[in-house]
Amino acid sequence: MEHTAANCRAREILDRVGDKWSLQVISLLGERTKRFTELKREIDGISQRMLTVTLRGLERDGIVSRTVYPVMPPRVDYSLTPMGATLMDAASTLVRWAESHLNDIDAARADYDIRTAEAEALKAP
């Protein structure tokens, strides 16, 4: 593929959407609007700071909207924007693919690690 300004910008957006947490956030918000604490509870292993950074990035790119309600204590809801909703098919497909191939990926990693360890052992004096 030819390097152009347009595909460089596309790479920037794909890096955002394809980072460690964004697809999970997009997938969960595709179900319905959620509060921060719901997202934090439903995404195993994400820190509060990382969820904040992820949501801010997705909001900046126009994928997620943040609604603050003037109540005490403050209430904030997150939802997909109309543009973000167009990512649902791709995001859901990728998440389902990953979930359905976890065992295969684990097996491939174990095989690779064994082969690598054996090759290193042969190199050792």
Side-chain angles (χ1 to χ4, degrees), residues 103-113 115:
N103 292 335
D104 297 330
I105 292 167
D106 288 343
R109 287 176 177 176
D111 288 345
Y112 177 88
D113 292 346
R115 287 192 315 274

Side-chain angles (χ1 to χ4, degrees), residues 6 9 20 25 28 40 42-43 47 52 70 77 80 82 99 102-103 112 117 124:
R9 296 283 324 276
K20 185 173 183 178
V25 169
L28 287 170
K40 173 88 173 70
E42 293 180 34
I43 301 174
S47 68
T52 299
D77 286 345
L80 291 181
E99 289 171 345
L102 288 175
N103 292 335
Y112 177 88

Side-chain angles (χ1 to χ4, degrees), residues 55-56 59 64-69 75-79 81:
L55 287 166
R56 284 183 183 160
E59 181 182 7
V64 166
S65 67
R66 179 178 185 263
T67 305
V68 180
Y69 297 94
R75 177 179 154 202
V76 179
D77 286 345
Y78 294 91
S79 60
T81 62

